[in-house]
Amino acid sequence: IDITTSKGRAKIKGNLIVDFGNPSLLFLLKQHKSMAKVIEKGKIELKDAYNKKGEVVAQGIYAIDVWMLGREYHDVSIGVTDKMRSIKQLGFLGTQFFTSPVVFDFDKGIMFIR
């Protein structure tokens, strides 16, 4: 994944879990080594989201551009969490990504995008 933000450009590598219950385009895990590295280097900046009581309830990234699996997206909000310590993948790919025909080969763990 290549992400362009107001802070710069970051390349983040890792496997994604396809989450058909997730309406968001992308949700990344803060503890993944690739994600932690770009945060530490200051290439992306996490923004806090607050509830009505003023408590931080989530964090995220506002991306000007996102390049992922050969496709480009503009003006993307990406959720970021550190609550899932047992998951080793980079994050979750939500249903908004699947705007074109996609074929899944579940036996081989492959996704084909047209």
Side-chain angles (χ1 to χ4, degrees), residues 3 12 35 51 91 101-102 112:
I3 299 175
I12 305 171
M35 186 69 183
N51 64 14
V102 177
F112 300 95

Side-chain angles (χ1 to χ4, degrees), residues 46-107:
L46 296 179
K47 309 258 184 206
D48 294 334
Y50 300 90
N51 64 14
K52 291 181 182 179
K53 296 178 183 177
E55 302 165 327
V56 175
V57 294
Q59 286 188 306
I61 303 164
Y62 172 72
I64 298 164
D65 296 307
V66 175
W67 282 88
M68 177 173 47
L69 302 172
R71 300 181 72 189
E72 182 178 14
Y73 300 87
H74 305 283
D75 301 320
V76 178
S77 294
I78 301 168
V80 177
T81 188
D82 61 352
K83 305 282 185 207
M84 302 178 190
R85 295 266 176 218
S86 62
I87 295 176
K88 302 294 183 212
Q89 286 78 11
L90 174 60
F92 300 92
L93 186 60
T95 54
Q96 285 186 10
F97 177 80
F98 304 104
T99 56
S100 64
V102 177
V103 177
F104 292 96
D105 183 336
F106 289 103
D107 292 333

Side-chain angles (χ1 to χ4, degrees), residues 4-9 42-47 62 64:
T4 304
T5 68
S6 61
K7 289 286 202 176
R9 188 173 187 97
K43 297 212 176 190
I44 59 173
E45 179 181 25
L46 296 179
K47 309 258 184 206
Y62 172 72
I64 298 164

